[in-house]
Amino acid sequence: MYNRRKFLLSSLAASIGISLPLAGKPIAGSPRIRAGSRPAIISTWNHGLAANAAAWEQLAAGRSVLDAVETGVRVSEADPDVTSVGFGGLPDSSGEVTLDACIMNSAGDAGAVACLKNILHPISVARLVMEETPHVMLVGEGALEFAMRNGFQKANLLTPDARKVWEKWKKTQEAGKPVGSGHDTIGMVALDAGGDLAGACTTSGLSFKLPGRVGDSPIIGAGLYVDNEVGGAAATGVGELVMKTLGSFLVVEMMRTGISPEEACRMALERIAEKIPLKSDMQVGFIAISKAGETAGYGLRKSFEYAVIKEGRNQLLTASALL
Ligand code: GLY
C-alpha cells in the first residue's frame, strides 16, 4: 500500500511538474518574500504534506495564493489512497461517491459545490462557481451539468478498493441505518508573500452517509473561512458538529479579537464540546493561520495531525487535543 501510494504520488507530482519533499526537508525554490510577510501554508492530516508541497511550488513560481490552494488540494483529490477525498473516496450507503468542496479568495469571494458526482476535481468546479457565476454554491445535478458545460469530464470515482470496503460494510449493516466514521477532509489555508490569504476544502464526506447528505466542507464559515484582514481557518472531522457551530468562521472571529490561532481553534472546540452531546468516536480538527503567519492546529481528541510548510520546510505536526 505504501509503495503504491508513493508511486502514485510521484507519478502525479511528475505529471504536474513538482518534486515531492520528504517531511521536514527544505524544498528548492522559495516564494519571494516581501518585508513583513512570510508565506505559510497549513493543511489537514498526513496527506496535507503532498498538498502543501504542490501549493508551495505554485507560490514559488509566482502564481497566486488562490492557484496555490487549488493546486494543493487537487493532489489529495486525485490520490486513490486518500479514502475521504475525491477519487478513491468511500461512497455513501448506496455506493455513490459524492463530493463537497469550497474555496475562498483574498477578496472574500467564495464558491462551493455539494453532493457532486463523477467529477475528479470538485475544487476546480467550486472555483469556477466563484469566478464565473453570481452564486456561491451549486449542488447535485445542477453542479454536474455546470461542470460539464464548462469542459469537465465525467469520471468513475469509486475505485475497486473503495468498492470492496463498501461491500463489506453493507454486509454488516442493518438496511436503512447508515453510519459514517471516516473523515479526513483536506482543508488548506495559505498566506502568500504579499500578505494575501486563500483557502480550499474538499471531501467525499462521511463514509456510508445517507444519500444526499452534505457536510461542513462546502459550507462557507463551517468547513472553511478566510478573512484577508484577520486570517483563515478550515475544519475536518464530523461535519455535523462543525456546521452547528459554524466552526471555521468562529475560529476567524476569535482571531479577530487578537487571540492566537491556537487559542482560537481551542475555543471553537470548547464551543462544540459545551453545546453538543459528543459520542466517543467523534473527532473534529481545526487548522488556522493568522494574517501575521502564525499557524496552529487543534483536535477535539488525540490523533489529529496537520501539515505546515514555512520557508520551504514541510512538517507534519501532532495537534494538541481538547479532551
Ligand atoms: N468534514 C467532512 C464531512 O463531515 O463531510
Side-chain angles (χ1 to χ4, degrees), residues 157-178:
L157 304 178
L158 186 65
T159 60
D161 284 352
R163 174 182 283 279
K164 267 188 217 147
V165 176
W166 170 66
E167 281 168 352
K168 188 169 170 199
W169 170 83
K170 250 194 341 180
K171 281 191 197 134
T172 60
Q173 296 304 309
E174 274 179 63
K177 275 196 155 184

mmCIF file with all atom_site columns, all heavy atoms in Angstrom, residues 157-178:
data_model
loop_
_atom_site.group_PDB
_atom_site.id
_atom_site.type_symbol
_atom_site.label_atom_id
_atom_site.label_alt_id
_atom_site.label_comp_id
_atom_site.label_asym_id
_atom_site.label_entity_id
_atom_site.label_seq_id
_atom_site.pdbx_PDB_ins_code
_atom_site.Cartn_x
_atom_site.Cartn_y
_atom_site.Cartn_z
_atom_site.occupancy
_atom_site.B_iso_or_equiv
_atom_site.pdbx_formal_charge
_atom_site.auth_seq_id
_atom_site.auth_comp_id
_atom_site.auth_asym_id
_atom_site.auth_atom_id
_atom_site.pdbx_PDB_model_num
ATOM 1   N N   . LEU A 1 157 ? -15.365 7.531   -9.870 1.00 0.00 ? 157 LEU A N   1
ATOM 2   C CA  . LEU A 1 157 ? -14.518 7.828   -8.706 1.00 0.00 ? 157 LEU A CA  1
ATOM 3   C C   . LEU A 1 157 ? -14.441 6.666   -7.719 1.00 0.00 ? 157 LEU A C   1
ATOM 4   O O   . LEU A 1 157 ? -13.648 6.708   -6.778 1.00 0.00 ? 157 LEU A O   1
ATOM 5   C CB  . LEU A 1 157 ? -15.053 9.078   -7.986 1.00 0.00 ? 157 LEU A CB  1
ATOM 6   C CG  . LEU A 1 157 ? -15.176 10.335  -8.854 1.00 0.00 ? 157 LEU A CG  1
ATOM 7   C CD1 . LEU A 1 157 ? -15.766 11.482  -8.042 1.00 0.00 ? 157 LEU A CD1 1
ATOM 8   C CD2 . LEU A 1 157 ? -13.833 10.742  -9.439 1.00 0.00 ? 157 LEU A CD2 1
ATOM 9   N N   . LEU A 1 158 ? -15.282 5.647   -7.929 1.00 0.00 ? 158 LEU A N   1
ATOM 10  C CA  . LEU A 1 158 ? -15.305 4.508   -6.993 1.00 0.00 ? 158 LEU A CA  1
ATOM 11  C C   . LEU A 1 158 ? -14.239 3.507   -7.416 1.00 0.00 ? 158 LEU A C   1
ATOM 12  O O   . LEU A 1 158 ? -14.382 2.803   -8.414 1.00 0.00 ? 158 LEU A O   1
ATOM 13  C CB  . LEU A 1 158 ? -16.691 3.848   -6.994 1.00 0.00 ? 158 LEU A CB  1
ATOM 14  C CG  . LEU A 1 158 ? -16.899 2.740   -5.970 1.00 0.00 ? 158 LEU A CG  1
ATOM 15  C CD1 . LEU A 1 158 ? -16.833 3.285   -4.539 1.00 0.00 ? 158 LEU A CD1 1
ATOM 16  C CD2 . LEU A 1 158 ? -18.234 2.034   -6.201 1.00 0.00 ? 158 LEU A CD2 1
ATOM 17  N N   . THR A 1 159 ? -13.161 3.454   -6.674 1.00 0.00 ? 159 THR A N   1
ATOM 18  C CA  . THR A 1 159 ? -12.072 2.525   -7.011 1.00 0.00 ? 159 THR A CA  1
ATOM 19  C C   . THR A 1 159 ? -12.449 1.113   -6.556 1.00 0.00 ? 159 THR A C   1
ATOM 20  O O   . THR A 1 159 ? -13.299 0.944   -5.676 1.00 0.00 ? 159 THR A O   1
ATOM 21  C CB  . THR A 1 159 ? -10.767 2.938   -6.296 1.00 0.00 ? 159 THR A CB  1
ATOM 22  O OG1 . THR A 1 159 ? -11.003 2.910   -4.884 1.00 0.00 ? 159 THR A OG1 1
ATOM 23  C CG2 . THR A 1 159 ? -10.305 4.318   -6.730 1.00 0.00 ? 159 THR A CG2 1
ATOM 24  N N   . PRO A 1 160 ? -11.808 0.084   -7.124 1.00 0.00 ? 160 PRO A N   1
ATOM 25  C CA  . PRO A 1 160 ? -12.096 -1.286  -6.680 1.00 0.00 ? 160 PRO A CA  1
ATOM 26  C C   . PRO A 1 160 ? -11.876 -1.446  -5.173 1.00 0.00 ? 160 PRO A C   1
ATOM 27  O O   . PRO A 1 160 ? -12.661 -2.135  -4.500 1.00 0.00 ? 160 PRO A O   1
ATOM 28  C CB  . PRO A 1 160 ? -11.104 -2.127  -7.501 1.00 0.00 ? 160 PRO A CB  1
ATOM 29  C CG  . PRO A 1 160 ? -10.847 -1.306  -8.728 1.00 0.00 ? 160 PRO A CG  1
ATOM 30  C CD  . PRO A 1 160 ? -10.900 0.133   -8.295 1.00 0.00 ? 160 PRO A CD  1
ATOM 31  N N   . ASP A 1 161 ? -10.847 -0.816  -4.630 1.00 0.00 ? 161 ASP A N   1
ATOM 32  C CA  . ASP A 1 161 ? -10.594 -0.926  -3.176 1.00 0.00 ? 161 ASP A CA  1
ATOM 33  C C   . ASP A 1 161 ? -11.747 -0.321  -2.377 1.00 0.00 ? 161 ASP A C   1
ATOM 34  O O   . ASP A 1 161 ? -12.213 -0.891  -1.392 1.00 0.00 ? 161 ASP A O   1
ATOM 35  C CB  . ASP A 1 161 ? -9.291  -0.196  -2.797 1.00 0.00 ? 161 ASP A CB  1
ATOM 36  C CG  . ASP A 1 161 ? -8.054  -0.992  -3.193 1.00 0.00 ? 161 ASP A CG  1
ATOM 37  O OD1 . ASP A 1 161 ? -8.211  -2.155  -3.613 1.00 0.00 ? 161 ASP A OD1 1
ATOM 38  O OD2 . ASP A 1 161 ? -6.942  -0.433  -3.076 1.00 0.00 ? 161 ASP A OD2 1
ATOM 39  N N   . ALA A 1 162 ? -12.208 0.858   -2.807 1.00 0.00 ? 162 ALA A N   1
ATOM 40  C CA  . ALA A 1 162 ? -13.301 1.524   -2.075 1.00 0.00 ? 162 ALA A CA  1
ATOM 41  C C   . ALA A 1 162 ? -14.583 0.701   -2.191 1.00 0.00 ? 162 ALA A C   1
ATOM 42  O O   . ALA A 1 162 ? -15.355 0.581   -1.234 1.00 0.00 ? 162 ALA A O   1
ATOM 43  C CB  . ALA A 1 162 ? -13.499 2.939   -2.613 1.00 0.00 ? 162 ALA A CB  1
ATOM 44  N N   . ARG A 1 163 ? -14.800 0.118   -3.374 1.00 0.00 ? 163 ARG A N   1
ATOM 45  C CA  . ARG A 1 163 ? -15.999 -0.722  -3.556 1.00 0.00 ? 163 ARG A CA  1
ATOM 46  C C   . ARG A 1 163 ? -15.970 -1.913  -2.578 1.00 0.00 ? 163 ARG A C   1
ATOM 47  O O   . ARG A 1 163 ? -16.970 -2.232  -1.957 1.00 0.00 ? 163 ARG A O   1
ATOM 48  C CB  . ARG A 1 163 ? -16.085 -1.224  -5.010 1.00 0.00 ? 163 ARG A CB  1
ATOM 49  C CG  . ARG A 1 163 ? -17.211 -2.205  -5.227 1.00 0.00 ? 163 ARG A CG  1
ATOM 50  C CD  . ARG A 1 163 ? -17.252 -2.724  -6.644 1.00 0.00 ? 163 ARG A CD  1
ATOM 51  N NE  . ARG A 1 163 ? -17.823 -1.733  -7.538 1.00 0.00 ? 163 ARG A NE  1
ATOM 52  C CZ  . ARG A 1 163 ? -19.135 -1.520  -7.691 1.00 0.00 ? 163 ARG A CZ  1
ATOM 53  N NH1 . ARG A 1 163 ? -20.007 -2.224  -6.993 1.00 0.00 ? 163 ARG A NH1 1
ATOM 54  N NH2 . ARG A 1 163 ? -19.565 -0.609  -8.518 1.00 0.00 ? 163 ARG A NH2 1
ATOM 55  N N   . LYS A 1 164 ? -14.789 -2.520  -2.444 1.00 0.00 ? 164 LYS A N   1
ATOM 56  C CA  . LYS A 1 164 ? -14.665 -3.673  -1.531 1.00 0.00 ? 164 LYS A CA  1
ATOM 57  C C   . LYS A 1 164 ? -15.014 -3.271  -0.103 1.00 0.00 ? 164 LYS A C   1
ATOM 58  O O   . LYS A 1 164 ? -15.719 -3.986  0.601  1.00 0.00 ? 164 LYS A O   1
ATOM 59  C CB  . LYS A 1 164 ? -13.214 -4.202  -1.561 1.00 0.00 ? 164 LYS A CB  1
ATOM 60  C CG  . LYS A 1 164 ? -13.016 -5.297  -2.559 1.00 0.00 ? 164 LYS A CG  1
ATOM 61  C CD  . LYS A 1 164 ? -11.629 -5.904  -2.419 1.00 0.00 ? 164 LYS A CD  1
ATOM 62  C CE  . LYS A 1 164 ? -11.101 -6.243  -3.798 1.00 0.00 ? 164 LYS A CE  1
ATOM 63  N NZ  . LYS A 1 164 ? -9.675  -6.102  -3.957 1.00 0.00 ? 164 LYS A NZ  1
ATOM 64  N N   . VAL A 1 165 ? -14.522 -2.112  0.329  1.00 0.00 ? 165 VAL A N   1
ATOM 65  C CA  . VAL A 1 165 ? -14.794 -1.651  1.701  1.00 0.00 ? 165 VAL A CA  1
ATOM 66  C C   . VAL A 1 165 ? -16.293 -1.426  1.873  1.00 0.00 ? 165 VAL A C   1
ATOM 67  O O   . VAL A 1 165 ? -16.895 -1.804  2.886  1.00 0.00 ? 165 VAL A O   1
ATOM 68  C CB  . VAL A 1 165 ? -14.006 -0.347  2.005  1.00 0.00 ? 165 VAL A CB  1
ATOM 69  C CG1 . VAL A 1 165 ? -14.359 0.195   3.388  1.00 0.00 ? 165 VAL A CG1 1
ATOM 70  C CG2 . VAL A 1 165 ? -12.509 -0.573  1.891  1.00 0.00 ? 165 VAL A CG2 1
ATOM 71  N N   . TRP A 1 166 ? -16.916 -0.827  0.850  1.00 0.00 ? 166 TRP A N   1
ATOM 72  C CA  . TRP A 1 166 ? -18.365 -0.562  0.906  1.00 0.00 ? 166 TRP A CA  1
ATOM 73  C C   . TRP A 1 166 ? -19.151 -1.876  0.953  1.00 0.00 ? 166 TRP A C   1
ATOM 74  O O   . TRP A 1 166 ? -20.088 -2.040  1.740  1.00 0.00 ? 166 TRP A O   1
ATOM 75  C CB  . TRP A 1 166 ? -18.772 0.283   -0.310 1.00 0.00 ? 166 TRP A CB  1
ATOM 76  C CG  . TRP A 1 166 ? -20.239 0.413   -0.479 1.00 0.00 ? 166 TRP A CG  1
ATOM 77  C CD1 . TRP A 1 166 ? -21.111 1.060   0.346  1.00 0.00 ? 166 TRP A CD1 1
ATOM 78  C CD2 . TRP A 1 166 ? -21.031 -0.128  -1.547 1.00 0.00 ? 166 TRP A CD2 1
ATOM 79  N NE1 . TRP A 1 166 ? -22.390 0.965   -0.143 1.00 0.00 ? 166 TRP A NE1 1
ATOM 80  C CE2 . TRP A 1 166 ? -22.366 0.236   -1.305 1.00 0.00 ? 166 TRP A CE2 1
ATOM 81  C CE3 . TRP A 1 166 ? -20.731 -0.878  -2.687 1.00 0.00 ? 166 TRP A CE3 1
ATOM 82  C CZ2 . TRP A 1 166 ? -23.407 -0.123  -2.162 1.00 0.00 ? 166 TRP A CZ2 1
ATOM 83  C CZ3 . TRP A 1 166 ? -21.762 -1.234  -3.543 1.00 0.00 ? 166 TRP A CZ3 1
ATOM 84  C CH2 . TRP A 1 166 ? -23.090 -0.857  -3.268 1.00 0.00 ? 166 TRP A CH2 1
ATOM 85  N N   . GLU A 1 167 ? -18.738 -2.853  0.107  1.00 0.00 ? 167 GLU A N   1
ATOM 86  C CA  . GLU A 1 167 ? -19.455 -4.138  0.078  1.00 0.00 ? 167 GLU A CA  1
ATOM 87  C C   . GLU A 1 167 ? -19.356 -4.852  1.421  1.00 0.00 ? 167 GLU A C   1
ATOM 88  O O   . GLU A 1 167 ? -20.323 -5.420  1.914  1.00 0.00 ? 167 GLU A O   1
ATOM 89  C CB  . GLU A 1 167 ? -18.929 -5.021  -1.061 1.00 0.00 ? 167 GLU A CB  1
ATOM 90  C CG  . GLU A 1 167 ? -19.520 -4.588  -2.395 1.00 0.00 ? 167 GLU A CG  1
ATOM 91  C CD  . GLU A 1 167 ? -18.837 -5.207  -3.594 1.00 0.00 ? 167 GLU A CD  1
ATOM 92  O OE1 . GLU A 1 167 ? -17.797 -5.875  -3.427 1.00 0.00 ? 167 GLU A OE1 1
ATOM 93  O OE2 . GLU A 1 167 ? -19.352 -4.990  -4.717 1.00 0.00 ? 167 GLU A OE2 1
ATOM 94  N N   . LYS A 1 168 ? -18.192 -4.763  2.034  1.00 0.00 ? 168 LYS A N   1
ATOM 95  C CA  . LYS A 1 168 ? -18.004 -5.377  3.359  1.00 0.00 ? 168 LYS A CA  1
ATOM 96  C C   . LYS A 1 168 ? -18.887 -4.656  4.381  1.00 0.00 ? 168 LYS A C   1
ATOM 97  O O   . LYS A 1 168 ? -19.556 -5.291  5.201  1.00 0.00 ? 168 LYS A O   1
ATOM 98  C CB  . LYS A 1 168 ? -16.525 -5.251  3.748  1.00 0.00 ? 168 LYS A CB  1
ATOM 99  C CG  . LYS A 1 168 ? -16.172 -5.992  4.981  1.00 0.00 ? 168 LYS A CG  1
ATOM 100 C CD  . LYS A 1 168 ? -14.673 -6.041  5.165  1.00 0.00 ? 168 LYS A CD  1
ATOM 101 C CE  . LYS A 1 168 ? -14.380 -6.578  6.563  1.00 0.00 ? 168 LYS A CE  1
ATOM 102 N NZ  . LYS A 1 168 ? -13.055 -6.258  7.010  1.00 0.00 ? 168 LYS A NZ  1
ATOM 103 N N   . TRP A 1 169 ? -18.907 -3.340  4.311  1.00 0.00 ? 169 TRP A N   1
ATOM 104 C CA  . TRP A 1 169 ? -19.734 -2.555  5.239  1.00 0.00 ? 169 TRP A CA  1
ATOM 105 C C   . TRP A 1 169 ? -21.209 -2.932  5.086  1.00 0.00 ? 169 TRP A C   1
ATOM 106 O O   . TRP A 1 169 ? -21.920 -3.125  6.071  1.00 0.00 ? 169 TRP A O   1
ATOM 107 C CB  . TRP A 1 169 ? -19.538 -1.057  4.968  1.00 0.00 ? 169 TRP A CB  1
ATOM 108 C CG  . TRP A 1 169 ? -20.523 -0.209  5.721  1.00 0.00 ? 169 TRP A CG  1
ATOM 109 C CD1 . TRP A 1 169 ? -20.426 0.201   7.012  1.00 0.00 ? 169 TRP A CD1 1
ATOM 110 C CD2 . TRP A 1 169 ? -21.772 0.305   5.229  1.00 0.00 ? 169 TRP A CD2 1
ATOM 111 N NE1 . TRP A 1 169 ? -21.524 0.941   7.362  1.00 0.00 ? 169 TRP A NE1 1
ATOM 112 C CE2 . TRP A 1 169 ? -22.367 1.009   6.290  1.00 0.00 ? 169 TRP A CE2 1
ATOM 113 C CE3 . TRP A 1 169 ? -22.443 0.224   4.013  1.00 0.00 ? 169 TRP A CE3 1
ATOM 114 C CZ2 . TRP A 1 169 ? -23.613 1.642   6.162  1.00 0.00 ? 169 TRP A CZ2 1
ATOM 115 C CZ3 . TRP A 1 169 ? -23.676 0.841   3.878  1.00 0.00 ? 169 TRP A CZ3 1
ATOM 116 C CH2 . TRP A 1 169 ? -24.238 1.545   4.946  1.00 0.00 ? 169 TRP A CH2 1
ATOM 117 N N   . LYS A 1 170 ? -21.638 -3.091  3.817  1.00 0.00 ? 170 LYS A N   1
ATOM 118 C CA  . LYS A 1 170 ? -23.061 -3.372  3.549  1.00 0.00 ? 170 LYS A CA  1
ATOM 119 C C   . LYS A 1 170 ? -23.513 -4.673  4.210  1.00 0.00 ? 170 LYS A C   1
ATOM 120 O O   . LYS A 1 170 ? -24.604 -4.768  4.751  1.00 0.00 ? 170 LYS A O   1
ATOM 121 C CB  . LYS A 1 170 ? -23.276 -3.494  2.033  1.00 0.00 ? 170 LYS A CB  1
ATOM 122 C CG  . LYS A 1 170 ? -24.059 -2.335  1.498  1.00 0.00 ? 170 LYS A CG  1
ATOM 123 C CD  . LYS A 1 170 ? -24.609 -2.517  0.103  1.00 0.00 ? 170 LYS A CD  1
ATOM 124 C CE  . LYS A 1 170 ? -24.003 -3.579  -0.761 1.00 0.00 ? 170 LYS A CE  1
ATOM 125 N NZ  . LYS A 1 170 ? -24.622 -3.658  -2.080 1.00 0.00 ? 170 LYS A NZ  1
ATOM 126 N N   . LYS A 1 171 ? -22.619 -5.660  4.165  1.00 0.00 ? 171 LYS A N   1
ATOM 127 C CA  . LYS A 1 171 ? -22.980 -6.974  4.736  1.00 0.00 ? 171 LYS A CA  1
ATOM 128 C C   . LYS A 1 171 ? -23.193 -6.892  6.244  1.00 0.00 ? 171 LYS A C   1
ATOM 129 O O   . LYS A 1 171 ? -23.921 -7.689  6.804  1.00 0.00 ? 171 LYS A O   1
ATOM 130 C CB  . LYS A 1 171 ? -21.852 -7.970  4.461  1.00 0.00 ? 171 LYS A CB  1
ATOM 131 C CG  . LYS A 1 171 ? -21.896 -8.493  3.057  1.00 0.00 ? 171 LYS A CG  1
ATOM 132 C CD  . LYS A 1 171 ? -20.934 -9.666  2.894  1.00 0.00 ? 171 LYS A CD  1
ATOM 133 C CE  . LYS A 1 171 ? -20.689 -9.871  1.415  1.00 0.00 ? 171 LYS A CE  1
ATOM 134 N NZ  . LYS A 1 171 ? -19.308 -10.050 1.060  1.00 0.00 ? 171 LYS A NZ  1
ATOM 135 N N   . THR A 1 172 ? -22.512 -5.946  6.878  1.00 0.00 ? 172 THR A N   1
ATOM 136 C CA  . THR A 1 172 ? -22.561 -5.915  8.347  1.00 0.00 ? 172 THR A CA  1
ATOM 137 C C   . THR A 1 172 ? -23.544 -4.878  8.884  1.00 0.00 ? 172 THR A C   1
ATOM 138 O O   . THR A 1 172 ? -23.684 -4.731  10.085 1.00 0.00 ? 172 THR A O   1
ATOM 139 C CB  . THR A 1 172 ? -21.165 -5.588  8.917  1.00 0.00 ? 172 THR A CB  1
ATOM 140 O OG1 . THR A 1 172 ? -20.784 -4.309  8.395  1.00 0.00 ? 172 THR A OG1 1
ATOM 141 C CG2 . THR A 1 172 ? -20.144 -6.626  8.532  1.00 0.00 ? 172 THR A CG2 1
ATOM 142 N N   . GLN A 1 173 ? -24.223 -4.145  8.001  1.00 0.00 ? 173 GLN A N   1
ATOM 143 C CA  . GLN A 1 173 ? -25.106 -3.074  8.462  1.00 0.00 ? 173 GLN A CA  1
ATOM 144 C C   . GLN A 1 173 ? -26.568 -3.437  8.308  1.00 0.00 ? 173 GLN A C   1
ATOM 145 O O   . GLN A 1 173 ? -26.944 -4.124  7.365  1.00 0.00 ? 173 GLN A O   1
ATOM 146 C CB  . GLN A 1 173 ? -24.864 -1.784  7.660  1.00 0.00 ? 173 GLN A CB  1
ATOM 147 C CG  . GLN A 1 173 ? -23.498 -1.219  7.859  1.00 0.00 ? 173 GLN A CG  1
ATOM 148 C CD  . GLN A 1 173 ? -23.182 -0.967  9.312  1.00 0.00 ? 173 GLN A CD  1
ATOM 149 O OE1 . GLN A 1 173 ? -23.957 -0.324  10.008 1.00 0.00 ? 173 GLN A OE1 1
ATOM 150 N NE2 . GLN A 1 173 ? -22.061 -1.466  9.773  1.00 0.00 ? 173 GLN A NE2 1
ATOM 151 N N   . GLU A 1 174 ? -27.391 -2.913  9.217  1.00 0.00 ? 174 GLU A N   1
ATOM 152 C CA  . GLU A 1 174 ? -28.831 -3.032  9.044  1.00 0.00 ? 174 GLU A CA  1
ATOM 153 C C   . GLU A 1 174 ? -29.253 -2.092  7.934  1.00 0.00 ? 174 GLU A C   1
ATOM 154 O O   . GLU A 1 174 ? -28.839 -0.934  7.930  1.00 0.00 ? 174 GLU A O   1
ATOM 155 C CB  . GLU A 1 174 ? -29.546 -2.559  10.303 1.00 0.00 ? 174 GLU A CB  1
ATOM 156 C CG  . GLU A 1 174 ? -29.711 -3.591  11.367 1.00 0.00 ? 174 GLU A CG  1
ATOM 157 C CD  . GLU A 1 174 ? -30.402 -2.970  12.563 1.00 0.00 ? 174 GLU A CD  1
ATOM 158 O OE1 . GLU A 1 174 ? -31.549 -2.532  12.425 1.00 0.00 ? 174 GLU A OE1 1
ATOM 159 O OE2 . GLU A 1 174 ? -29.758 -2.902  13.610 1.00 0.00 ? 174 GLU A OE2 1
ATOM 160 N N   . ALA A 1 175 ? -30.106 -2.567  7.037  1.00 0.00 ? 175 ALA A N   1
ATOM 161 C CA  . ALA A 1 175 ? -30.572 -1.702  5.947  1.00 0.00 ? 175 ALA A CA  1
ATOM 162 C C   . ALA A 1 175 ? -31.221 -0.450  6.534  1.00 0.00 ? 175 ALA A C   1
ATOM 163 O O   . ALA A 1 175 ? -31.907 -0.518  7.557  1.00 0.00 ? 175 ALA A O   1
ATOM 164 C CB  . ALA A 1 175 ? -31.568 -2.458  5.095  1.00 0.00 ? 175 ALA A CB  1
ATOM 165 N N   . GLY A 1 176 ? -30.981 0.674   5.926  1.00 0.00 ? 176 GLY A N   1
ATOM 166 C CA  . GLY A 1 176 ? -31.626 1.923   6.349  1.00 0.00 ? 176 GLY A CA  1
ATOM 167 C C   . GLY A 1 176 ? -30.978 2.564   7.548  1.00 0.00 ? 176 GLY A C   1
ATOM 168 O O   . GLY A 1 176 ? -31.461 3.546   8.081  1.00 0.00 ? 176 GLY A O   1
ATOM 169 N N   . LYS A 1 177 ? -29.862 2.002   7.993  1.00 0.00 ? 177 LYS A N   1
ATOM 170 C CA  . LYS A 1 177 ? -29.179 2.608   9.145  1.00 0.00 ? 177 LYS A CA  1
ATOM 171 C C   . LYS A 1 177 ? -27.743 2.938   8.784  1.00 0.00 ? 177 LYS A C   1
ATOM 172 O O   . LYS A 1 177 ? -26.797 2.336   9.314  1.00 0.00 ? 177 LYS A O   1
ATOM 173 C CB  . LYS A 1 177 ? -29.194 1.639   10.323 1.00 0.00 ? 177 LYS A CB  1
ATOM 174 C CG  . LYS A 1 177 ? -30.447 1.699   11.148 1.00 0.00 ? 177 LYS A CG  1
ATOM 175 C CD  . LYS A 1 177 ? -30.172 1.025   12.455 1.00 0.00 ? 177 LYS A CD  1
ATOM 176 C CE  . LYS A 1 177 ? -31.072 1.526   13.544 1.00 0.00 ? 177 LYS A CE  1
ATOM 177 N NZ  . LYS A 1 177 ? -30.701 0.916   14.821 1.00 0.00 ? 177 LYS A NZ  1
ATOM 178 N N   . PRO A 1 178 ? -27.542 3.860   7.864  1.00 0.00 ? 178 PRO A N   1
ATOM 179 C CA  . PRO A 1 178 ? -26.164 4.179   7.510  1.00 0.00 ? 178 PRO A CA  1
ATOM 180 C C   . PRO A 1 178 ? -25.463 4.897   8.654  1.00 0.00 ? 178 PRO A C   1
ATOM 181 O O   . PRO A 1 178 ? -26.091 5.634   9.398  1.00 0.00 ? 178 PRO A O   1
ATOM 182 C CB  . PRO A 1 178 ? -26.304 5.106   6.301  1.00 0.00 ? 178 PRO A CB  1
ATOM 183 C CG  . PRO A 1 178 ? -27.710 5.477   6.218  1.00 0.00 ? 178 PRO A CG  1
ATOM 184 C CD  . PRO A 1 178 ? -28.521 4.642   7.159  1.00 0.00 ? 178 PRO A CD  1
#
